Amino acid sequence: QVQLVESGGGLVQPGGSLRLSCAASGSFFSTRVMNWYRQAPGKQREFVAGITSGGGTTNFADSVKGRFAISRDNAKNTVYLQMSSLKPEDTAVYYCNVRSGFVDYWGQGTQVTVSS
């Protein structure tokens, strides 16, 4: 079974930084693209960042380019989202995602609140 567990969210002031982690169970991890999504109150879930299985290619939503970085440690079955220069509009629940076949798997999410 695929299980994804996010951690690292919290309250941070504008301009601050946070690092989110997503720990995955299962032997699939090192062969899959891993993604981060987020969902703000009253809005649809949106793509934030993705990283290929070997970590060689990343891509980001325009809204976070230059501020966020994504990385992974396949030995630890963990993907990270380093968030810097945070803005109030980054406030959302952040979700880890992996697709296996035609099925999308999601973690429970971790809340990030950017506020002074």
Side-chain angles (χ1 to χ4, degrees):
Q1 291 289 346
V2 175
Q3 287 190 322
L4 304 172
V5 179
E6 301 97 335
S7 61
L11 174 64
V12 62
Q13 291 187 342
S17 299
L18 277 176
R19 188 176 81 155
L20 306 183
S21 299
C22 171
S25 64
S27 59
F28 69 93
F29 183 83
S30 63
T31 64
R32 294 285 187 264
V33 170
M34 297 297 296
N35 302 300
W36 285 96
Y37 283 73
R38 67 186 181 186
Q39 187 167 18
K43 295 188 177 181
Q44 288 189 330
R45 193 170 295 189
E46 65 175 1
F47 173 80
V48 175
I51 185 167
T52 53
S53 58
T57 301
T58 59
N59 65 309
F60 299 90
D62 287 345
S63 59
V64 306
K65 279 181 182 175
R67 300 188 298 120
F68 288 13
I70 186 171
S71 61
R72 65 191 296 161
D73 185 338
N74 286 345
K76 295 182 178 179
N77 279 13
T78 302
V79 61
Y80 305 97
L81 186 68
Q82 178 67 49
M83 306 185 295
S84 304
S85 301
L86 282 161
K87 305 175 181 180
E89 51 263 44
D90 294 316
T91 295
V93 177
Y94 284 71
Y95 297 91
C96 184
N97 161 266
V98 65
R99 173 164 289 187
S100 181
F102 297 103
V103 179
D104 273 309
Y105 294 92
W106 301 91
Q108 84 288 350
T110 186
Q111 176 71 47
V112 172
T113 303
V114 185
S115 174
S116 55

